[in-house]
Amino acid sequence: MLLLRAMAGRRLPPLMRLPRGCSRLAAGSAAPEGHREGTPGGHGGATPGGHGGAAPGGHRGAAPVLAALLGLGVAVAYGERRRRTAQAAQAAPAPPFPRYTRAEVAQHRTPADRVWVTYGTDVFDVTEFVELHPGGPDKILLAAGGALEPFWALYAVHGQPHVLELLRDYKVGELSPEEAAPPPADSADPFAGDPPRHPALRVNSSKPFNAEPPPELLTQSFLTPNELFFTRNHLPVPAVEPASYRLRVEGPGGRALSLSLSELRRRFPKHEVTATLQCAGNRRSEMSRVRPVKGLAWDIGAISTARWGGARLRDVLLAAGVRDGAENGEWHVCFEGLDADASGTPYGASIPLKRALSADAEVLLAYEMNGRELPRDHGFPVRVVVPGVVGARSVKWLRSVAVSPEESPSHWQQNDYKGFCPSVDWDSVDFRAAPAIQELPVQSAITEPRPGAAVPAGELTVKGYAWSGGGREVVRVDVSLDGGRTWREAELGPRPERGRGWAWALWELRAPVPAGARLEIVCKAVDRSYNVQPDTVGPIWNLRGVLSNAWHRVPVTVTK
């Protein structure tokens, strides 16, 4: 315990600085799809009891592995815990643990109030562990006041016996019996059948569900884990039975196909593409600070990246009798989803037929996301994925595809997702006067550090993402620490498919900062067409708050 007190307030070196050859995961454990580091339980380090260590069932070798992964301090703390546990086992039986409701646990979210978490039906006080967390206190505090399971599910390492053993020593209570089962669904609520969501998501609206991952988790890995992929729903999530699912594809002249899920998989070659999807309203909250806008108050997280698998839309359209030629002119491909409002009106959108038929555009009818079947929130069993285009056109829960000389008549194609002059207000707006958003402009944002953070003097690490629509690859990210007066070029992370800019670039900058300084960190991206972000929000403000891509600014202070 003396060691724990001596180390209070000190952050251990991050896992990324381990010597070469030192594994981030315990021996024999495999990183899951979309491997990421630094989440609560989402790294090769530790959450409360969450660390790499001995092989399952073995404890004698735990301390050396712990020392490698977490530093000697946590290893010694672990050994001290085991010694005290052994002594306690020889003492008189302890009285029964007190019982708590989930609401009572939720009151313990900060070190000042004690940090409590649950695992199964047990309650744990992990306050002593917060400052020892290798990913930093911010990561572990994402689980504070709630359940560990959704965070630990991202990494198999937490299922090892020594992890659970260490966690048990922090136990302070149990959940009340009535808290063990989830409350029954309200059959009168059209959203009652929605799927469960990861608690780390920051909810912008619950009905319909719209949420984004926290910035500190957004760029922890190139591919966004399915559980943390931003969710944009306009209507209740439909419950689709895969065995009875049919996709209707209508070509010109009345020719049509009706495809089951198995037929879609069997008849058409599977194609995979790594692509970023971004909501038109990403970073809308910054526009709201200039003037009020209508729409969800998205921060910087309405953007995510996945490896999508499915049939090329081009192949399906050709099978439906659509001709591939210049005579297609200004025709469109209209999509409708199985999600519908109370009147039965479905969500719909469209893209130009020229894009749909282009082999280079790689438009998919996707049934896989990061190597797994689509989650319900992301369009199970089939969705459209249009790389390089606003997410609103990538219709989920797809029920029909139709070639038409006109755009989709859907409200979301005709009367939403359009940009206007800053002088246009709700009294003067004419949605017919503006084209529907398709390709998005160049974009970047800072994910670490967070606005208002206090950072230590010395080397500062700035992280973020950059992306541009239309497949225009990001070629450079410029970062300023003084509000844009001087600039440095950030280092772009590895990208799996250079030249095809469907996916974002993750970037990082390291720079020395003096004690006591006040910094305004700014980033701007440049794509291969040399498009660059505007410096301020005012000139691009619009009444719907879409296309928000001004320089991203993050003020921080450097501690003395």
Side-chain angles (χ1 to χ4, degrees):
M1 294 310 295
L2 289 174
L3 177 62
L4 282 173
R5 293 192 186 103
M7 297 185 66
R10 291 183 55 196
R11 178 177 296 187
L12 295 180
L15 293 179
M16 65 186 298
R17 298 179 186 173
L18 288 175
R20 290 184 179 179
C22 184
S23 174
R24 298 174 184 235
L25 293 174
S29 65
E33 186 71 32
H35 178 70
R36 47 193 304 117
E37 299 158 2
T39 62
H43 52 70
T47 60
H51 45 68
H59 305 301
R60 183 171 299 174
V65 179
L66 281 168
L69 288 174
L70 303 179
L72 182 60
V74 180
V76 175
Y78 173 66
E80 173 66 11
R81 285 280 179 182
R82 284 185 48 78
R83 184 186 64 80
R84 290 171 54 197
T85 301
Q87 290 177 344
Q90 300 174 4
F97 283 102
R99 291 179 173 178
Y100 300 99
T101 65
R102 293 190 188 276
E104 290 173 322
V105 174
Q107 295 174 8
H108 297 272
R109 294 179 176 271
T110 67
D113 297 322
R114 309 296 296 177
V115 178
W116 288 13
V117 295
T118 66
Y119 185 80
T121 58
D122 293 333
V123 179
F124 305 90
D125 181 345
V126 297
T127 310
E128 292 181 354
F129 193 83
V130 169
E131 288 295 336
L132 295 177
H133 191 266
D138 292 346
K139 302 293 193 304
I140 193 171
L141 288 174
L142 290 170
L148 284 174
E149 285 91 339
F151 297 93
W152 282 18
L154 295 175
Y155 275 81
V157 66
H158 296 100
Q160 298 187 30
H162 70 272
V163 175
L164 299 176
E165 179 185 349
L166 181 57
L167 178 64
R168 280 194 293 268
D169 202 34
Y170 289 93
K171 181 174 176 178
V172 294
E174 297 174 351
L175 288 173
S176 301
E178 61 270 18
E179 295 280 355
D186 180 0
S187 59
D189 182 358
F191 296 94
D194 276 16
R197 281 91 181 200
H198 199 283
L201 292 173
R202 295 184 174 177
V203 179
N204 287 316
S205 73
S206 57
K207 297 179 182 182
F209 187 79
N210 292 280
E212 59 190 300
E216 55 266 43
L217 300 185
L218 185 60
T219 53
Q220 290 293 305
S221 64
F222 186 81
L223 296 180
T224 311
N226 293 356
E227 299 87 346
L228 297 179
F229 203 98
F230 88 94
T231 301
R232 176 65 174 108
N233 294 339
H234 297 82
L235 299 160
V237 176
V240 184
E241 174 53 53
S244 59
Y245 171 78
R246 307 294 296 187
L247 172 64
R248 181 173 176 81
V249 184
E250 299 179 12
R255 182 171 179 177
L257 290 176
S258 179
L259 298 169
S260 68
L261 181 58
S262 61
E263 287 171 334
L264 183 67
R265 288 175 173 267
R266 184 177 66 253
R267 287 186 55 178
F268 302 97
K270 178 182 173 183
H271 183 72
E272 291 186 307
V273 60
T274 301
T276 295
L277 294 184
Q278 179 181 233
C279 179
N282 191 32
R283 299 180 59 193
R284 178 182 283 128
S285 59
E286 295 168 53
M287 282 197 175
S288 297
R289 292 195 284 272
V290 174
R291 274 191 284 161
V293 298
K294 288 188 178 180
L296 297 168
W298 295 107
D299 189 22
I300 64 171
I303 182 171
S304 299
T305 299
R307 180 76 174 172
W308 308 95
R312 287 181 184 263
L313 176 58
R314 167 188 166 85
D315 294 343
V316 176
L317 290 176
L318 293 177
V322 179
R323 296 180 62 184
D324 185 8
E327 65 272 16
N328 291 323
E330 295 299 319
W331 281 55
H332 304 268
V333 179
C334 303
F335 309 113
E336 285 190 352
L338 288 163
D339 51 332
D341 63 18
S343 70
T345 303
Y347 181 84
S350 61
I351 62 173
L353 177 58
K354 183 177 181 180
R355 180 181 291 274
L357 287 175
S358 169
D360 293 335
E362 300 187 276
V363 182
L364 291 186
L365 302 183
Y367 43 75
E368 288 183 1
M369 180 178 180
N370 289 329
R372 295 184 288 171
E373 72 176 19
L374 288 172
R376 285 189 62 208
D377 257 334
H378 299 291
F380 177 83
V382 177
R383 71 170 296 165
V384 183
V385 173
V386 190
V389 167
V390 65
R393 312 304 168 212
S394 291
V395 175
K396 299 188 283 188
W397 313 291
L398 188 64
R399 74 173 182 183
S400 70
V401 178
V403 177
S404 168
E406 305 292 338
E407 279 189 323
S408 168
S410 167
H411 163 83
W412 292 279
Q413 186 79 23
Q414 299 299 325
N415 298 309
D416 203 352
Y417 298 122
K418 297 182 177 183
F420 297 93
C421 176
S423 64
V424 174
D425 59 24
W426 287 102
D427 293 326
S428 61
V429 64
D430 179 4
F431 277 92
R432 296 171 299 178
I437 299 170
Q438 293 285 342
E439 296 181 1
L440 287 170
V442 63
Q443 173 73 281
S444 71
I446 299 162
T447 57
E448 295 182 48
R450 299 302 300 133
V455 299
E459 186 178 70
L460 172 67
T461 299
V462 184
K463 296 181 180 180
Y465 64 78
W467 179 77
S468 191
R472 293 179 292 274
E473 186 178 36
V474 168
V475 297
R476 197 179 79 235
V477 174
D478 302 328
V479 180
S480 172
L481 302 183
D482 53 14
R485 290 188 293 275
T486 62
W487 296 90
R488 306 163 189 253
E489 187 172 341
E491 179 181 354
L492 301 181
R495 284 167 280 181
E497 298 168 346
R498 295 302 305 273
R500 292 197 301 172
W502 301 137
W504 61 14
L506 302 185
W507 55 266
E508 182 174 302
L509 176 80
R510 296 174 182 269
V513 292
R518 292 183 178 274
L519 310 177
E520 184 183 18
I521 308 174
V522 180
C523 71
K524 59 182 176 72
V526 182
D527 68 22
R528 72 178 180 206
S529 296
Y530 285 93
N531 297 309
V532 68
Q533 296 169 250
D535 58 346
T536 58
V537 175
I540 60 171
W541 183 96
N542 59 86
L543 76 175
R544 277 292 280 120
V546 294
L547 308 171
S548 181
N549 73 325
W551 296 356
H552 189 220
R553 300 170 184 268
V554 172
V556 301
T557 57
V558 183
T559 57
K560 295 182 179 180

